[in-house]
Amino acid sequence: MIGTITNTITIIVGSVAGAVMKRGIKPQYQGVLFTAMGLASLSLGFNAVARTMPKSEYPVLFIVSIALGGLVGTVLDLDGRFKRLVNHFEKKKVDGSDERGTLAKGLSTGILLYCIGTFSIVGPMLSALEGDNTFLYTNATLDLITSAVLAATYGIGMIWAAPVLFCWQGMFYLIAKLFGPIIPDALVNEIITVGGTLIVASGLSLLNIKDCKTLNLLPSLLIPVLFFLLKSLW
């Protein structure tokens, strides 16, 4: 778990550093950072999809996953519930301008960037099965920079993404420890393909091109798991 602990600490450090920098960053520069994170999200998402989609044994599965997962998430209103929860704790600026919703967007984007990707899914599994933390240390370096930029834009509230990352990677670590030998590589590829698509959706939202309500799409990650479980029973 040392790799996951390191990754969690880097997000905390980056968030604090970014929040401190925010005080000296003018609004127009925050806008540039906002755009940069949107472009970075698109790049990371497209890269994940481009690397795993050609390996897919079921090319249509990710489309079905996005469609069904999006319907489930919309029915459950995950995006709306998350924003209402965050907005409940988010304070207004002293000058009276309402910033409600900005932290929610930042957290949803940060959580996706930190958690949904090759490093955060495969990394904990390699750590559990082979004791190799290379992926996790690489991810920690990337997250240190990303968390600083996000916190400079959205504030210290971005630090709440750290425990989410710890639980997420910890889950895969435990799964690999318990069931590692029976998890097919094909399933990991499908999850990463869907995850990359969600990161692209997050990037589109950041760039104000399309509000994809990315959190409503999160159940999409469970569809490949259910598919492979049903397939194993046939």
Side-chain angles (χ1 to χ4, degrees), residues 97-178:
S97 60
D98 195 348
E99 292 292 314
R100 303 174 86 81
T102 57
L103 179 57
K105 180 184 286 188
L107 277 174
S108 61
T109 299
I111 289 170
L112 284 171
L113 286 175
Y114 303 149
C115 298
I116 311 302
T118 305
F119 293 147
S120 260
I121 294 176
V122 179
M125 298 176 72
L126 284 177
S127 178
L129 297 175
E130 303 177 10
D132 184 359
N133 290 302
T134 303
F135 274 20
L136 290 176
Y137 290 148
T138 301
N139 198 54
T141 303
L142 294 172
D143 288 349
L144 176 64
I145 299 172
T146 304
S147 60
V149 174
L150 285 172
T153 303
Y154 298 108
I156 191 61
M158 288 302 304
I159 203 170
W160 290 109
V164 176
L165 174 97
F166 181 82
C167 293
W168 173 261
Q169 291 188 358
M171 176 185 68
F172 281 101
Y173 183 91
L174 291 176
I175 289 174
K177 276 291 188 182
L178 297 174

Side-chain angles (χ1 to χ4, degrees), residues 13-25 148 151-153 155-156:
V13 172
S15 297
V16 173
V20 172
M21 289 190 299
K22 182 177 182 179
R23 300 173 184 174
I25 299 179
T153 303
I156 191 61

Side-chain angles (χ1 to χ4, degrees), residues 2-159:
I2 184 64
T4 293
I5 293 172
T6 300
N7 202 163
T8 303
I9 292 174
T10 56
I11 291 178
I12 295 174
V13 172
S15 297
V16 173
V20 172
M21 289 190 299
K22 182 177 182 179
R23 300 173 184 174
I25 299 179
K26 296 180 180 179
Q28 62 266 34
Y29 299 139
Q30 292 183 32
V32 171
L33 294 176
F34 192 82
T35 300
M37 291 313 305
L39 294 173
S41 298
L42 291 179
S43 299
L44 290 170
F46 282 129
N47 179 63
V49 173
R51 287 197 302 172
T52 56
M53 188 178 290
K55 303 176 185 177
S56 175
E57 298 178 7
Y58 309 95
V60 183
L61 180 56
F62 95 97
I63 300 175
V64 176
S65 298
I66 295 293
L68 290 181
L71 287 174
V72 172
T74 300
V75 170
L76 297 176
D77 191 24
L78 297 180
D79 186 80
R81 291 173 185 270
F82 179 79
K83 288 178 179 178
R84 287 192 291 272
L85 177 64
V86 174
N87 291 342
H88 178 71
F89 296 101
E90 187 178 8
K91 297 180 180 179
K92 295 183 179 181
K93 283 189 173 182
V94 177
D95 62 5
S97 60
D98 195 348
E99 292 292 314
R100 303 174 86 81
T102 57
L103 179 57
K105 180 184 286 188
L107 277 174
S108 61
T109 299
I111 289 170
L112 284 171
L113 286 175
Y114 303 149
C115 298
I116 311 302
T118 305
F119 293 147
S120 260
I121 294 176
V122 179
M125 298 176 72
L126 284 177
S127 178
L129 297 175
E130 303 177 10
D132 184 359
N133 290 302
T134 303
F135 274 20
L136 290 176
Y137 290 148
T138 301
N139 198 54
T141 303
L142 294 172
D143 288 349
L144 176 64
I145 299 172
T146 304
S147 60
V149 174
L150 285 172
T153 303
Y154 298 108
I156 191 61
M158 288 302 304
I159 203 170

